[in-house]
Amino acid sequence: MDNELTNLIAAADAGDVNAKFSLYEYYENEGDEEKALYWIVSAAESGHVDAMFRLGSSYRVAEDFKMAAYWYEKLAKQNDSGAQYELGQFYFSGKGVEQDYKRAAHWFLQSADQGLSHAQQMMSVLYGDGRGVEKDETLAFEWAEKAAKQGQMQSQNALSYFYRYGVGVAQDNELAVIWKTKAAAQGHVIAQYDLGDFYHAGKLVEQDYAKAAYWYQKAAQNGHTRAQYMLASMYHYGKGVEQDYTQAAEWCLKSAEAGEAVSQHFMATMYENGKGVEVDKAKAFEWLQKAAEQGYDKAQHILGLYYYRGVGVARDYKQAAEWYAKVPDLVDIDTQYTLAIMHRNGRFVPQDNAKSFFWLSKVVAAEPDTGVAPKLLFTFDSTEALSEQVETGLNYTYLSLALNSQKMRRFEANTPATDEQKRWLAFGAILMVRNIESCRTLDLLDSENEARDALDSWWDINDNEEALRVAGYLSIAQGHTPRADALYKSLTTESEPLVYTKACAMLMRLGYTKDELSKIKSTAAWDYGRASYIARYSVKAGYMTAEEAWSFLQTAAENAAKIYSNWREYMAGYVMGRALGYNNDSVSFADDVFPYLLNDPQSPFMGEFM
């Protein structure tokens, strides 16, 4: 070998280009990089084709793109198709040279005309996009076809697209599937995933879950994260494969760890339900959070629910509201209404009437004819007016906006009440304000059907006779008043029922003193307030005339004035009547209603008592 090496060196020194290249190969095998580099450069400079190409490739691998382009260009000018293709790529990407699509097209074409399939595929791309050449979908198809027929899998996949959508050629779904299958069979991962989708959805082919699973698995094994998710789903539900929760979890985890948001959401579901993994709410939360932070809407919605209910994480209504706000259309109507109330009251979240208005709008859009939400929304003048009025800083802003808006005023003007009638209506204000109904007109925002449903559900009232009977005994305090008054008068410190204690605590929270509470004269206010409710709802339901209703309203008001001296006494009597007569401590609505009635300049309680 020493003699052979000596002879090679002698030949190389004498200018033998092949001897130079042989010396390069010898020293490369020996691991002598310095001598190998010397001889390959020498061979390349002497015009050895393989040396120039290998040198260009070495510089490309080392990311010295400028030198790589230099050697590829020398070889390309000798009409080497491989070097022409590589040089085209440099001009296409702008690596080692200034990006120039026209020069890229020039070199790709030189190579493609010599039959190099990769160059033909790039010519298809250039004509398809109109980069470096005038856009021409027919030529894009023709170049892709040339490359595809040589087995170039990217072009086979592209040819499937051309046939499927009729780009540059007549549409042909059968050929689209044939070329997609050829590309997939060669390992083109996107083609494999697409075929899985074709068979899964029955697109272009007859639906076949087994074939879908086969192609999804091929793509999944090649690292396609969406295919891994689809394969996980098929194992989870037993579509095209035998149901296997463990396999489903394993494939889903691969995809989730790679950052696929839908898989992260799926992993959360698995940990929540214990399918393929042990139940672990904390891990479910972690995966949901990953998916939500990527903007996956379903995960954002469920993450809001987790925060709302405290699943896998400490309960946090503020966080819940923030995540729900990202996907408002996915939030169920009950939660939308709850969010509106939370923002209205500043409970758990910052008080924000504009956000409350937003969530109410969603409720009304879903169920425009039911509940109190439509009335609340109806009474807001506009989101702009809302924002302006919020700045007044009133604690009861929400009720004030609803009951004193321009829209409410226009509604009241349709059936105006006299000043005397408004004083009668005021005695029903506690219930009516709670229901977002005006106390300046006999009419209601609630519809006839809603009025009938309310009377039937709560009072079994379905006709004129029953409406007159109930309104009659309530207007003279013969509902729960006798029993509640008797219980109230018999109270001692040792025998206070819990409902009474809670009612007192609530009233004291609103500013009532112990002395005031000790001087409540009667619980009859609750009956009088309900008499007003029955009369007004019966008119709306068609069970009572306006004249009959006004008669009951007048009677209730006059009787109340005989017992109470002012509105504070009346309200205390109302709360105590509800608590003792109904044995019910659910008077929390007073936290909103009472401050409005006692403080708002437009409150019906701002007028004289009687």
Side-chain angles (χ1 to χ4, degrees):
M1 183 62 192
D2 288 342
N3 289 335
E4 290 181 16
L5 181 60
T6 300
N7 291 334
L8 275 175
I9 292 173
D13 287 341
D16 188 329
V17 67
N18 290 322
K20 293 178 180 181
F21 189 74
S22 295
L23 282 171
Y24 151 71
E25 290 181 319
Y26 171 77
Y27 285 118
E28 184 180 47
N29 290 332
E30 291 294 313
D32 191 332
E33 294 181 1
E34 184 177 352
K35 289 183 179 179
L37 179 60
Y38 172 81
W39 286 113
I40 192 172
V41 171
S42 181
E45 288 175 342
S46 298
H48 193 282
V49 172
D50 285 347
M52 286 191 283
F53 193 84
R54 289 199 192 184
L55 194 57
S57 298
S58 296
Y59 278 121
R60 176 169 54 80
V61 171
E63 296 189 356
D64 187 341
F65 299 120
K66 186 174 182 179
M67 287 301 297
Y70 170 81
W71 286 108
Y72 282 138
E73 186 163 12
K74 278 186 171 295
L75 187 55
K77 289 178 178 178
Q78 295 186 38
N79 208 32
D80 183 277
S81 61
Q84 290 167 339
Y85 168 76
E86 295 291 351
L87 188 59
Q89 286 287 10
F90 281 122
Y91 279 113
F92 184 81
S93 64
K95 290 182 177 179
V97 294
E98 187 176 346
Q99 190 176 54
D100 188 328
Y101 291 129
K102 286 187 177 180
R103 296 193 73 177
H106 167 79
W107 289 113
F108 282 140
L109 182 60
Q110 299 300 308
S111 179
D113 280 341
Q114 294 189 67
L116 190 70
S117 63
H118 285 79
Q120 292 169 340
Q121 187 261 339
M122 286 306 300
M123 286 305 299
S124 175
V125 170
L126 292 176
Y127 275 114
D129 295 342
R131 285 188 280 184
V133 293
E134 187 175 345
K135 185 172 181 177
D136 190 322
E137 291 178 345
T138 300
L139 285 175
F141 165 78
E142 290 175 357
W143 279 114
E145 186 178 39
K146 289 177 186 290
K149 287 180 176 179
Q150 291 193 70
Q152 212 278 338
M153 63 180 182
Q154 284 87 357
S155 291
Q156 290 173 337
N157 189 56
L159 209 58
S160 173
Y161 169 84
F162 289 134
Y163 276 117
R164 182 179 180 185
Y165 296 105
V167 177
V169 67
Q171 187 179 31
D172 191 322
N173 288 337
E174 185 177 351
L175 283 173
V177 174
I178 288 173
W179 284 109
K180 183 71 73 174
T181 305
K182 287 180 182 289
Q186 289 199 76
H188 193 285
V189 65
I190 295 176
Q192 292 170 336
Y193 172 75
D194 287 347
L195 269 182
D197 266 359
F198 285 1
Y199 284 110
H200 186 266
K203 293 184 291 189
L204 310 186
V205 295
E206 186 176 345
Q207 190 176 55
D208 188 324
Y209 289 133
K211 287 183 178 178
Y214 171 83
W215 286 113
Y216 281 142
Q217 183 147 7
K218 290 287 187 184
Q221 290 169 340
N222 283 326
H224 195 289
T225 58
R226 188 74 179 192
Q228 290 168 343
Y229 162 74
M230 291 302 298
L231 185 61
S233 177
M234 299 196 83
Y235 273 117
H236 187 84
Y237 296 107
K239 286 186 175 182
V241 292
E242 186 176 348
Q243 190 175 51
D244 188 329
Y245 292 130
T246 302
Q247 282 274 8
E250 288 175 0
W251 281 111
C252 191
L253 182 60
K254 289 179 184 289
S255 179
E257 288 179 337
E260 189 72 41
V262 66
S263 297
Q264 293 168 341
H265 175 252
F266 200 9
M267 283 305 303
T269 303
M270 291 179 180
Y271 275 113
E272 181 175 355
N273 299 323
K275 297 289 182 69
V277 293
E278 294 293 325
V279 172
D280 191 325
K281 297 298 175 66
K283 286 186 177 179
F285 170 80
E286 289 174 8
W287 282 115
L288 269 179
Q289 190 170 40
K290 290 178 185 291
E293 287 173 351
Q294 290 197 71
Y296 188 61
D297 57 356
K298 292 180 181 178
Q300 291 173 329
H301 172 224
I302 301 301
L303 189 62
L305 183 65
Y306 270 35
Y307 273 117
Y308 189 79
R309 295 180 178 174
V311 179
V313 67
R315 190 190 299 268
D316 189 327
Y317 291 112
K318 185 174 183 295
Q319 283 282 349
E322 289 176 2
W323 284 109
Y324 279 142
K326 295 178 185 294
V327 284
D329 293 334
L330 296 183
V331 181
D332 64 274
I333 190 168
D334 290 337
T335 304
Q336 289 174 339
Y337 186 75
T338 300
L339 287 166
I341 301 305
M342 284 167 60
H343 282 298
R344 177 193 83 177
N345 296 332
R347 184 171 173 81
F348 308 120
V349 297
Q351 200 279 335
D352 191 325
N353 281 315
K355 287 182 179 178
S356 181
F357 180 90
F358 169 80
W359 285 112
L360 275 176
S361 300
K362 291 293 179 183
V363 176
V364 174
E367 295 186 6
D369 298 320
T370 59
V372 73
K375 291 190 292 182
L376 285 170
L377 192 64
F378 169 82
T379 55
F380 287 138
D381 298 327
S382 68
T383 53
E384 290 78 17
L386 177 65
S387 298
E388 291 173 5
Q389 294 175 74
V390 167
E391 294 176 3
T392 60
L394 301 174
N395 293 328
Y396 44 82
T397 301
Y398 200 83
L399 288 173
S400 181
L401 290 171
L403 293 164
N404 300 315
S405 69
Q406 292 179 16
K407 286 186 177 180
M408 182 66 92
R409 288 290 186 265
R410 288 194 293 270
F411 170 74
E412 294 164 351
N414 293 327
T415 54
T418 66
D419 289 343
E420 184 178 35
Q421 289 170 334
K422 289 176 184 177
R423 285 195 292 274
W424 300 340
L425 287 166
F427 287 88
I430 298 174
L431 265 178
M432 290 302 166
V433 166
R434 183 189 180 196
N435 290 350
I436 319 298
E437 293 287 357
S438 172
C439 291
R440 291 180 285 260
T441 178
L442 189 66
D443 199 5
L444 302 174
L445 290 173
D446 272 343
S447 67
E448 178 180 338
N449 287 336
E450 287 172 325
R452 291 190 173 197
D453 287 344
L455 291 171
D456 180 49
S457 299
W458 291 97
W459 295 89
D460 292 326
I461 295 175
N462 293 286
D463 54 35
N464 173 257
E465 181 180 355
E466 191 63 14
L468 294 176
R469 185 184 73 82
V470 175
Y473 71 68
L474 289 175
S475 67
I476 58 173
Q478 291 301 305
H480 287 85
T481 299
R483 180 165 62 86
D485 272 358
L487 180 59
Y488 177 70
K489 291 173 183 177
S490 68
L491 290 175
T492 65
T493 305
E494 291 77 21
S495 65
E496 290 181 358
L498 182 61
V499 290
Y500 171 77
T501 303
K502 288 188 175 181
C504 287
M506 186 276 295
L507 287 168
M508 291 179 71
R509 189 170 68 251
L510 293 173
Y512 281 77
T513 65
K514 289 184 179 180
D515 184 60
E516 283 181 294
L517 296 181
S518 68
K519 295 178 181 178
I520 294 176
K521 299 172 183 176
S522 171
T523 64
W526 190 40
D527 274 352
Y528 298 141
R530 292 186 299 162
S532 178
Y533 175 94
I534 296 298
R536 293 183 63 182
Y537 271 77
S538 293
V539 172
K540 191 71 174 188
Y543 299 151
M544 190 182 293
T545 65
E547 289 74 16
E548 290 169 331
W550 284 123
S551 174
F552 290 122
L553 288 167
Q554 180 180 5
T555 299
E558 290 175 348
N559 285 332
K562 294 174 183 178
I563 299 173
Y564 304 103
S565 303
N566 55 56
W567 290 116
R568 285 181 65 84
E569 287 184 8
Y570 180 78
M571 286 198 293
Y574 183 97
V575 169
M576 207 58 69
R578 179 180 172 85
L580 296 176
Y582 201 46
N583 194 29
N584 190 315
D585 61 1
S586 59
V587 291
S588 59
F589 67 88
D591 288 334
D592 296 326
V593 173
F594 283 22
Y596 167 77
L597 288 172
L598 291 174
N599 296 290
D600 193 273
Q602 301 300 317
S603 163
F605 284 8
M606 287 296 104
E608 59 183 292
F609 186 65
M610 265 297 280

